[in-house]
Each structure stands twice: as structure tokens, then as C-alpha cells.
Amino acid sequence: MLAFVLALCGVVPQDVPQRIQSLCAKSDGIARSSALGESRGGRTIHAIELSAGGDPAGRRGVLILAGADGRRPIDTELALFQCEKLIADYAAGEATTRALLDTGVVYVVPQLNPDGAALGRHGNAAELDLDRDGKHDEDPPTDVNGDGVVTWMRWKDDDGAWLLDEKDPRLVHEADTDDDERGAYSYTLESKDADGDDARGEDDAHGVWIDRTFPHRHDEFDRRTGMFPTHEPETKALADFVYARRNIVMAFVWGRDDNLLETPKVGKPKARVQNDGILEGDKKLFERAGKAYREATGREGNKRDRMDGSPWGWLYLQLGVPAFASDVWRSPKLEKEDSKDDLLLERRRLVACEAAGRGWVDWKTFEHPELGPVEIGGFVDEDETALLPVDKRDELFAAHHAFVLDAATWHPRCHIAELSSKHVAGGAFEIEAVIENDGTLPALTATGSRCRRFAEPRLVLEHGDAAIAAGRQRHRVRNLGPNGERQSFRWIVVGEAGTTVTLRLRNDPVGGDSKEVTL
């Protein structure tokens, strides 16, 4: 059943290395693959570097990260689609792609969690003892009735916490005790009591969740997030990869989190506490990115901007890299909806299942070996994105790629706009310079400035045999805003006429300018 589900989404996990090898071989040198490391289960984690000529380390880099959740092959497929699209469009001479790969570099990690993809589960191959009984993964969800899929079980129980939905009894909801509701059903994933502790499905055999193992706001008390941040080899491999590439200035993360359908909440920095939202100074950037994303994809919905151990939260708040996260696809809206309906998402998913002809099993009575009469059915235990219609996939992927191409052009462009020398008296000359940012982003984002991984722009005046009489040889340029903000500098230099003076500008992490002037 798992292979069938993955095939519908366009990815069979075992073919990812072959696809990477194939696209690199056909890229005419544009794409090069490397290994980040090995997963907990010993599977290779691959990375792809795409650029045309030159040293990638000295160029602005964009990171595309996918495949942290093994039950979402759609994310890996999107990342590979983008690699193939970049290669094809570069060969065809598409201007935006040419500009990106001729002057920048794109790093793609399409499947951060190859264990999860191969095993059909959220996490990696780590064994866990969630119920602390000394056994590992012994009580996972199980195909109890032998119909080939794992769904849900419900049965009448006076001590249960669930009720059948009045509008559609195929769905269930938790009883609202504050509204004097009393549960009448128990409801859980299809499972048996494999270890005899009178509980079912409590050791879910889903490994460590790689997309919750990163340092920022890591949940140290959940065994599914690893023993400590970056404890899992997959997380450590990506961290090493990113730290070794200081030129990465923007990231796109395809997975469960989403900060593009709505602007993420703003968190006010507090001493000794990891921030729980984006910085106020970056709000406009996320508003711009969200607007561009929604226009490109036509999507709408609520944000899912969790930061606890997420890749995007770590990249953004601890590395100073603007990181845009998308969950790629959700069940579409219905023609008529009640925004206050607590089961709205379930109703959308049920309609999507009916349209796809899969993903839902009608409830049927079954004699459970431990519980007696139960009903088994409901949603198939898989990620919702498995319902994406195959004929809609390429259109959706192309829209995401268009957004990435657009956002990748957003960057500061700090340069020496003016540099002049004027004789003052005797051997003294006045040098004036104007530094301008005519890019579309500030010299440093708010997070880039706060995490201190990157320095503000700085100037160095190389004066040769001349001497500086007034002014400093090194200057720090303020964090220039976009669209033409300027700052002026002035020096008095004493030297012989005809001496060449060089002014160099450095803008972290990559970029800069230099100009010469003659005394």
C-alpha cells in the first residue's frame, strides 16, 4: 500500500539517488551532487549544487530544503522538480534562471530524511520507547482487519472522550465538557495491545522527527525530538553543511510548517529566552514574501509557523538567514463553509478523498480480538498531501518554482556610488565617497543583525604611500535600507599628486565593491 501511495505522488523513495545522478549527468556541468552524511539507518543524505562557472563559495547562495518528514514525498518531488527545471531553463536560455546560476548558486537537499521515506514514517530509523516499558516500537498502528491500510477505530464507551458529528456521523469530534457535552465513544488509530499494557498504538514506530530536532526552541522533553538539538545524524549533517557555506543568504523549506499563507507572528526579543516569532524589523519582508507566494500559487489558508525545533526557525533566528516555509498543498476549500466549524479541515479532506477515490474507508463493524465489536474506517493513516491530484502536480510545482525565482532576486546591493578626490592645499587632498544600497533588501535583515553571524557593511581605504590626516582607514557603514539609501564619508589624505587610492566595500556574507581614485 505504501508504494502505491508514494507512486501516486510521483516519488518512490528508493529512486531519489538515481534521479539525482541522472539529472546531474544531463546538466552539462550545471548540477553537482555530494553526500551530506548518513542517516540513522545508514542511508546517504544527498545534496545538489547548481551554478554555472566560477567559485560558488563567493556567490550569493539559496538553499532549498525538503524531505524532513518521510510521509511527505511531495516535498522531495518538488525539490527535484526545481532542480530539473533550473537545468532545463538554463539550457534554454531563460533569462532569470541564467542570471541566478551565472551569478549565484542554488543548494538543494531534496530528502533530508531518507529513512522516513523508505520506511513510510514521519521520523528516521531510530528506535524509541515512548511508553517507557523497556521495549522499542512494539505497539505501532496496525492493520487489524486486514484490508491493506491502517485507518481508525471507534467504539461505544461511556468513559470515552469523543462524539459522532451531528452534521456527518462519519466524522467524530472531542466532547466539549465546558459546554456540558459528555463523550460516548473511544477513538484511536487502528491498533492492538501488542505489549499487554492495556494501551494501543502508544509506541508509534515513527522514529525521531527530524523536522523538530533543530536548536531553536527545541522541545527537550519529547523523545521524538531527539536527546538534544542536532543529536540525530541527519540534523547534524545539515547543520555542518550550512555552517560550511556562509554564502547562504536565503532558504526555502518544503514541509509541514508554513509561514507564507499568513504573516508569522512577531515576537519581542527577551533576555535569555529564545524568540517565539519573527522580528519586527523583518515583518515587511515576510509580508512581501507571503504576498508574492500567494499570488504565484493562488493558495490561501492559515499559517503553521511552529518554531519548536523547526528547520526554518533555526535558519532564520539562529543563522540570520531569511527562511520561507511552505506546506505546499492542502485539501481545497469547499464551495460553502462555516469558518467557525471545528471540523472544517476534516470536511475538506473528506471531500478531497471522495474526489481522489482514495484516502478514506467507510466504517465497518469488526470483532476486535481485545475490544470486541468496534468500527474500523475513516481516514487512511497517511499525510494529506497524498491526495494531490496527479494532473495538478506540475502546475503547482511550477508556481512554487516561480516564487523561488522571484524571491531569489531580492537582495541588498551596497556599492560605491561616488568617489572623488579634490586638491585642498599643498600635498593635502580631500576624498569623498557615497555608499548606496539600491537593492531591494536592507544591507542586513533584522535577524542577520541580531544574531551577529554577519557584519554590517564596512569600508577600507587603501592609501598606499599617502597618509591619512583626517578620517579613519576603516569605517563601519550603517545598515543601509533598500531602494537608494545613502551614507557619505570624507577623508583628508596627504601624498604626492598621482598617487592611487583604493576604497573597498565589503557587505557580508557576500558582495561588495571597490573603486580607485587618483590624488
Side-chain angles (χ1 to χ4, degrees), residues 40 119 121 123-142 191-195 197 200-209 223-224:
R40 177 66 65 187
L119 299 172
R121 64 193 206 175
N124 64 4
E127 294 182 333
L128 298 179
D129 178 18
L130 298 179
D131 59 355
R132 306 190 182 200
D133 63 355
K135 302 175 184 177
H136 297 86
D137 296 340
E138 81 282 0
D139 227 357
T142 306
S191 54
K192 295 180 182 179
D193 179 14
D195 55 0
D197 62 355
R200 293 160 192 85
E202 73 274 17
D203 250 357
D204 61 13
H206 269 289
V208 172
W209 295 356
R223 295 190 176 197
R224 287 171 295 196

Side-chain angles (χ1 to χ4, degrees), residues 51-331:
S51 66
D55 178 14
R59 299 179 172 194
R60 299 180 60 82
V62 171
L63 172 66
I64 297 174
L65 175 63
D69 182 342
R71 286 164 42 112
R72 291 178 52 95
I74 187 176
D75 304 327
T76 293
E77 180 69 356
L78 171 55
L80 292 174
F81 171 94
Q82 292 185 268
C83 292
E84 293 164 349
K85 181 73 171 165
L86 287 169
I87 292 168
D89 286 354
Y90 188 89
E94 197 277 320
T96 305
T97 303
R98 281 265 176 179
L100 175 61
L101 298 186
D102 281 342
T103 61
V105 55
V106 178
Y107 302 107
V108 182
V109 181
Q111 196 175 71
L112 182 61
N113 179 14
D115 288 353
L119 299 172
R121 64 193 206 175
H122 185 167
N124 64 4
E127 294 182 333
L128 298 179
D129 178 18
L130 298 179
D131 59 355
R132 306 190 182 200
D133 63 355
K135 302 175 184 177
H136 297 86
D137 296 340
E138 81 282 0
D139 227 357
T142 306
D143 178 17
V144 175
N145 63 354
D147 64 354
V149 291
V150 174
T151 53
W152 293 78
M153 305 188 305
R154 66 187 189 186
W155 64 95
K156 289 186 177 182
D157 183 356
D158 291 339
D159 295 325
W162 298 82
L163 290 170
L164 303 187
D165 180 47
E166 293 180 357
K167 296 180 180 179
D168 189 340
R170 292 178 296 176
L171 302 176
V172 298
H173 66 87
E174 286 193 84
D176 185 355
T177 55
D178 292 335
D179 198 25
D180 294 329
E181 288 185 343
R182 179 176 178 177
Y185 282 81
S186 284
Y187 178 68
T188 185
L189 273 170
E190 191 176 352
S191 54
K192 295 180 182 179
D193 179 14
D195 55 0
D197 62 355
D198 202 29
R200 293 160 192 85
E202 73 274 17
D203 250 357
D204 61 13
H206 269 289
V208 172
W209 295 356
I210 300 304
D211 55 357
R212 292 289 174 257
T213 60
F214 289 85
H216 192 76
R217 299 187 70 84
H218 177 265
D219 186 351
E220 59 185 336
F221 299 111
D222 188 340
R223 295 190 176 197
R224 287 171 295 196
T225 64
M227 294 181 63
F228 50 81
T230 70
H231 172 264
E232 296 307 301
E234 298 89 344
T235 321
K236 177 68 162 51
L238 180 70
D240 288 344
F241 179 84
V242 173
Y243 277 116
R245 288 158 180 79
R246 199 167 178 271
N247 60 321
I248 293 176
V249 296
M250 188 174 289
F252 302 88
V253 182
W254 311 137
R256 288 193 301 159
D257 302 317
D258 193 292
N259 59 24
L260 292 168
L261 294 180
E262 284 185 303
T263 303
K265 69 175 182 179
V266 173
K268 186 177 181 180
K270 301 176 183 177
R272 298 182 296 279
V273 176
Q274 292 185 332
N275 215 47
D276 63 350
I278 65 172
L279 303 182
E280 180 67 40
D282 289 331
K283 183 178 179 182
K284 288 185 178 180
L285 172 58
F286 278 90
E287 289 176 340
R288 177 184 181 185
K291 183 174 184 291
Y293 176 82
R294 293 188 294 272
E295 289 178 350
T297 63
R299 297 186 66 209
E300 57 184 55
N302 299 322
K303 63 180 179 289
R304 295 173 177 171
D305 56 346
R306 288 179 58 176
M307 283 189 165
D308 49 324
S310 69
W312 85 267
W314 167 69
L315 286 163
Y316 169 65
L317 281 165
Q318 295 200 9
L319 274 75
V321 176
F324 305 118
S326 170
D327 57 12
V328 183
W329 187 86
R330 301 178 191 175
S331 298

Side-chain angles (χ1 to χ4, degrees), residues 170 329-334 344-360 379 382-389:
R170 292 178 296 176
W329 187 86
R330 301 178 191 175
S331 298
K333 292 181 65 176
L334 307 177
L344 180 56
L345 297 182
E346 286 82 354
R347 298 190 203 285
R348 289 180 181 177
R349 182 170 180 176
L350 181 52
V351 171
C353 288
E354 291 171 336
R358 56 175 305 277
W360 171 270
F379 292 112
E382 64 187 9
D383 191 81
E384 178 183 18
T385 54
L387 299 172
L388 171 65

Side-chain angles (χ1 to χ4, degrees), residues 6-59:
L6 296 174
L8 283 177
C9 286
V11 171
V12 176
Q14 289 79 4
D15 78 355
V16 169
Q18 287 75 24
R19 285 188 64 182
I20 292 174
Q21 183 180 15
S22 175
L23 69 86
C24 289
K26 297 176 181 177
S27 72
D28 196 24
I30 297 298
R32 301 163 293 277
S33 66
S34 62
L36 269 68
E38 287 191 348
S39 68
R40 177 66 65 187
R43 297 174 176 87
T44 301
I45 305 168
H46 297 275
I48 308 164
E49 177 186 278
L50 298 104
S51 66
D55 178 14
R59 299 179 172 194

